[in-house]
Amino acid sequence: MTNTSSTLTINGVDKQALDATIDAVRETPALAQVTFSLGSEWLDGCHQRSTTGALHQNGELVTSREASYVLESDEPAALLGTDKAASPAEYVLQALAGCYAVTYATNAAVRGIELSSLRLEMQTDFDLQGFLNLDDSVRPGAQEIRINVHAESPNASAEQLQELTDAVQKRSPIRDTLANPVQVVTTLVK
């Protein structure tokens, strides 16, 4: 825990800013509405490049976000790619890992739990028969995602860390997106 004269930081999270955000959303629930965007272009074969786009909160453009990021994906050669970048499946795991890190850090901070380390071991399984249109009974998506969490804290018991892990599973937006049906609307633009 870092405590300066004006800022209390727990797990790299500004606790005052976190509390202010919680209070602001409690007072104005529309602030909870956030829209992320991404533009993507196919390059060749299994290789594509995306660039992060505008961020909106409460229907308004967030002008303080000036950065954009380039993400590329490909498949390993064994899966018909050229192995120029991480695979989309690895990006799914990365998205979940990133969200878990945010959710652990902030939920721990709310509880006053200092994390000294957080490490995730993640795996996901696919059955390519669905993707290759060989068996309609096999879904093309992930069959299972497994996560082993290694969390350590100088001020929390094993029971408190388990309660934190349970809360992360309930509060992680990306886990919720993966674990529950979500409407995906795809439109061919002419």
Side-chain angles (χ1 to χ4, degrees), residues 28-120:
T28 310
L31 291 173
Q33 303 306 310
V34 179
T35 302
F36 293 89
S37 64
L38 185 101
S40 178
E41 184 176 340
W42 170 73
L43 299 175
D44 186 46
C46 300
H47 191 198
Q48 72 83 35
R49 180 177 296 130
S50 299
T51 304
T52 58
L55 174 67
H56 288 82
Q57 183 177 24
N58 189 20
E60 301 287 328
L61 178 66
V62 177
T63 57
S64 62
R65 185 175 194 193
E66 298 174 359
S68 67
Y69 301 94
V70 175
L71 311 166
E72 291 192 28
S73 69
D74 197 356
E75 291 289 349
L79 299 177
L80 305 174
T82 55
D83 213 9
K84 292 180 181 171
S87 73
E90 291 162 330
Y91 272 109
V92 168
L93 293 177
Q94 167 57 26
L96 183 57
C99 192
Y100 264 33
V102 168
T103 309
Y104 265 98
T106 56
N107 277 266
V110 165
R111 291 169 167 74
I113 296 174
E114 298 172 48
L115 294 172
S116 53
S117 71
L118 176 66
R119 188 170 53 84
L120 307 172

Side-chain angles (χ1 to χ4, degrees), residues 129-156:
Q129 293 179 86
F131 167 73
L132 296 171
N133 198 28
L134 297 174
D135 186 342
D136 286 339
S137 71
V138 177
R139 62 179 289 209
Q143 307 297 308
E144 182 177 69
I145 297 173
R146 293 174 300 285
I147 307 155
N148 289 326
V149 178
H150 302 271
E152 295 180 14
S153 169
N155 71 335

